[in-house]
Amino acid sequence: MDPRRGPAARTAPKAGAAAPKASAQGGRGALTEPDVCPAVPAAARPRAQSGEPASAPGSLRKKSAPGPRERPPRRAQSARAGQEPSSAAGPAGPAGPAEGPALSRAGSRRERGARSAETARPQPGPAELGGVGALVPAPSLGRRGAPPGAWEPRAVLEKLRLSRQEVSAAAEVVNRVVDHLLQRLQRRESEFRGVALLHTGSYYERVKISAPNEFDVMFKLEVPRIELEEYCNSGAHYFVKFKRNPKGNPLSQFLEEEILSASKMLSKFRKIIKEEIKHVEDTDVIVERKRRGSPAVTLLIRKPKEISVDIILALESKSSWPASTKEGLPINNWLGTKVKNSLRRQPFYLVPKHAKEGNGFQEETWRLSFSHIEKDILKNHGQSKTCCETHGVKCCRKDCLKLMKYLLEQLKKKFGNRKELDKFCSYHVKTAFFHVCTQDPHDSQWHSNDLESCFDNCVTYFLHCLKTERLEHYFIPGVNLFSQDQIEKISKEFLSKQIEYERNNGYPVFGEF
């Protein structure tokens, strides 16, 4: 069957263009000119919906031969590389919940900037006045305007520490709701009776920040003997078909000319959850309105405290990972080839996140998800197997990720009424962080005493990605998360200027809100 086509979110190399270096292996170039993408057959055409902002269709992009990549500028190297930490200098992040039947967060990729518009804003800083083009007081990336030590990263991390009492209370409520839904889905005669809970995301990664009021939960459903058909060379989005479709397959009703319809399946999943949520006792919980393009069914627990829970349906495949991931997961020099091979033997997942197509979405497509691998990487993040264990040497990797997430979160709160930050999310920060870990693979480069300089290196890399408009997906290198198709240049310039202003002035936004 001819591949179903549509605009691609994928970008492939152009000879001679520089891109940030993440590792010594798997080097790629930049972009090529788009080719024309053939029309999609009727069975896979998008269902046009009103209200979606117009965007130019993407395109099929061809790969060129891998070329050398430029290493992004580094602001500061650790002055204490190779030294052992003093007994008084351990990381100040939260201990986090133990593994078990608790909550999961499947990779927070949802945007909540609009909610922050109601928050009162402080007086604008220099970068706010005059719009996107305004300059910060000290635009140089070489030296901050504020004196050294003007901000205390450990104090900020202490503020982000989650109260065990708060976490426990939130976990009890959310687990009660999730367990009820899971049991009801498994007992009733439905297409989803085989679902199981998948523990992933920032809650299990122990990098959750601020407050335990948002959670992602992934319900996985194994689908054996499926065949993937890549959507317009995107690398990330696929049509799903069954290699064999015997009578009695409970998912047959979701087929559209042999294609497993993501929109149909998500719609039925949502309908069942809406029915079952009415039977949850002693909890005030509702299903929120559907968000366009979102793969999640969002629950809002209203008492005793407001908690948002995204429930995401995921298809589990135990086949080999798709070819688009072959050069991804560049952890050979960081965690080792054996670890990489072990991770690649794990299943991969597909979530009903539709590919964009013109002014709408290609609603039959599924998107690859590797949130479970991200959890494993963050859990065992050191080159040394004892990194951050009770008797091991402490590093500051997770602390840097928390600070990066908090920086973006605070800027989105500060500019809640500015559309320029709408498309940025914590997944962009996490992806950039993984690339810095690949670039600096040794534990000695993440000494806990060097938190400020390590965080600055993460900021440097992220700024480089914004300025060059290139952030490679960590698992699918052909996908550029900062391409023009994904995020407009003016938005990247705006965020870059705000980060530069914060960096040059000792991160005043960390003390706001």
Side-chain angles (χ1 to χ4, degrees):
M1 182 171 66
D2 292 334
R4 278 94 178 152
R5 304 288 212 184
R10 191 178 186 183
T11 56
K14 174 190 283 184
K21 178 177 179 180
S23 68
Q25 50 276 71
R28 288 176 180 267
L31 311 179
T32 61
E33 291 301 318
D35 295 328
V36 176
C37 201
V40 181
R45 287 176 187 163
R47 299 183 179 90
Q49 303 178 37
S50 60
E52 176 69 8
S55 60
S59 56
L60 172 65
R61 304 178 191 269
K62 299 178 179 179
K63 297 182 182 178
S64 65
R69 290 185 292 179
E70 174 187 294
R71 186 183 183 92
R74 292 176 60 84
R75 182 104 183 284
Q77 287 286 351
S78 169
R80 306 181 61 85
Q83 295 185 14
E84 293 296 316
S86 63
S87 58
E99 286 281 354
L103 306 172
S104 65
R105 186 173 179 91
S108 141
R109 297 170 195 167
R110 66 180 177 279
E111 300 299 331
R112 304 216 177 256
R115 294 185 181 180
S116 304
E118 301 173 2
T119 307
R121 288 180 58 196
Q123 291 299 314
E128 292 181 67
L129 301 175
V132 176
L135 297 177
V136 296
S140 169
L141 295 182
R143 185 175 180 82
R144 272 198 303 273
W151 73 290
E152 293 293 335
R154 293 293 176 196
V156 176
L157 288 168
E158 185 62 31
K159 184 170 68 171
L160 299 181
R161 184 189 293 271
L162 299 182
S163 160
R164 283 188 176 274
Q165 187 174 358
E166 273 191 294
V167 170
S168 178
E172 182 180 354
V173 175
V174 175
N175 283 332
R176 182 166 63 246
V177 174
V178 170
D179 289 344
H180 171 88
L181 291 174
L182 193 62
Q183 289 174 20
R184 296 285 291 192
L185 283 167
Q186 291 170 341
R187 288 175 185 170
R188 66 181 284 164
E189 290 297 325
S190 80
E191 305 80 3
F192 305 102
R193 65 181 307 172
V195 295
L197 189 63
L198 180 63
H199 294 146
T200 62
S202 64
Y203 189 87
Y204 275 93
E205 293 165 355
R206 300 187 181 182
V207 290
K208 188 85 173 69
I209 61 172
S210 300
N213 58 3
E214 291 182 358
F215 297 94
D216 289 341
V217 177
M218 188 175 281
F219 281 5
K220 65 178 182 178
L221 183 65
E222 185 178 353
V223 282
R225 298 186 61 79
I226 60 172
E227 178 183 339
L228 298 184
E229 192 174 295
E230 189 174 352
Y231 172 72
C232 199
N233 199 35
S234 66
H237 290 89
Y238 291 83
F239 294 107
V240 176
K241 300 194 303 181
F242 291 103
K243 291 183 179 179
R244 185 187 304 167
N245 185 29
K247 292 182 179 180
N249 186 332
L251 302 183
S252 297
Q253 63 174 294
F254 303 124
L255 294 178
E256 284 280 350
E257 295 187 11
E258 300 184 342
I259 297 173
L260 185 61
S261 169
S263 59
K264 277 189 174 182
M265 203 162 169
L266 179 58
S267 179
K268 183 64 178 290
F269 183 67
R270 179 182 178 83
K271 181 181 178 181
I272 293 176
I273 287 180
K274 286 186 74 172
E275 293 172 359
E276 296 296 348
I277 209 69
K278 299 173 184 176
H279 305 295
V280 179
E281 298 179 356
D282 304 322
T283 305
D284 183 5
V285 56
I286 61 171
V287 177
E288 290 194 326
R289 292 184 62 182
K290 187 179 186 300
R291 299 193 303 266
R292 283 206 69 202
S294 171
V297 178
T298 303
L299 309 180
L300 181 63
I301 299 173
R302 296 184 288 194
K303 292 180 181 178
K305 287 188 176 181
E306 196 169 281
I307 303 173
S308 176
V309 183
D310 273 4
I311 299 180
I312 302 169
L313 175 67
L315 305 181
E316 180 183 74
S317 174
K318 295 182 179 179
S319 304
S320 299
W321 290 14
S324 62
T325 68
K326 184 178 180 181
E327 301 299 327
L329 193 59
I331 60 172
N332 299 57
N333 292 338
W334 170 22
L335 302 178
T337 304
K338 287 184 179 180
V339 172
K340 178 177 179 177
N341 292 338
S342 175
L343 292 176
R344 288 186 62 90
R345 284 194 292 270
Q346 291 194 30
F348 66 89
Y349 294 89
L350 295 143
V351 297
K353 175 72 173 177
H354 313 312
K356 275 207 165 188
E357 186 168 270
N359 295 336
F361 291 95
Q362 172 45 265
E363 295 193 347
E364 314 309 331
T365 56
W366 300 77
R367 191 186 67 186
L368 294 177
S369 171
F370 296 98
S371 55
H372 60 307
I373 305 297
E374 294 162 14
K375 182 196 77 170
D376 286 350
I377 291 175
L378 285 171
K379 183 180 176 183
N380 303 291
H381 55 260
Q383 194 175 51
S384 164
K385 303 306 178 187
T386 59
C387 182
C388 289
E389 290 185 358
T390 303
H391 301 292
V393 176
K394 307 296 181 183
C395 80
C396 64
R397 288 181 178 92
K398 285 189 178 182
D399 289 338
C400 287
L401 178 54
K402 290 175 188 176
L403 289 172
M404 289 293 293
K405 289 175 66 174
Y406 190 51
L407 176 59
L408 180 59
E409 180 183 284
Q410 290 294 90
L411 288 173
K412 287 173 77 72
K413 284 183 180 180
K414 183 174 182 179
F415 300 100
N417 61 340
R418 297 291 295 260
K419 66 178 182 179
E420 287 90 349
L421 299 184
D422 285 350
K423 293 184 180 179
F424 292 103
C425 61
S426 61
Y427 192 72
H428 294 130
V429 167
K430 184 195 284 188
T431 300
F433 167 76
F434 281 147
H435 282 300
V436 178
C437 289
T438 295
Q439 177 179 285
D440 298 334
H442 305 293
D443 294 345
S444 60
Q445 294 172 296
W446 297 89
H447 198 286
S448 62
N449 289 347
D450 297 319
L451 172 59
E452 188 169 354
S453 64
C454 289
F455 172 65
D456 197 67
N457 289 336
C458 292
V459 172
T460 299
Y461 186 89
F462 195 70
L463 283 171
H464 181 79
C465 293
L466 289 169
K467 290 178 183 297
T468 59
E469 298 188 84
R470 185 162 189 84
L471 174 59
E472 281 187 4
H473 193 291
Y474 199 65
F475 297 87
I476 315 169
V479 173
N480 177 13
L481 299 177
F482 280 175
S483 70
Q484 186 67 26
D485 292 339
Q486 298 285 317
I487 302 177
E488 299 82 359
K489 184 178 182 67
I490 192 171
S491 296
K492 286 169 277 196
E493 289 176 344
F494 181 82
L495 179 57
S496 180
K497 288 183 181 296
Q498 304 316 317
I499 292 177
E500 285 185 12
Y501 171 75
E502 294 299 325
R503 182 192 204 187
N504 295 334
N505 292 276
Y507 298 99
V509 77
F510 283 156
E512 298 175 5
F513 313 106

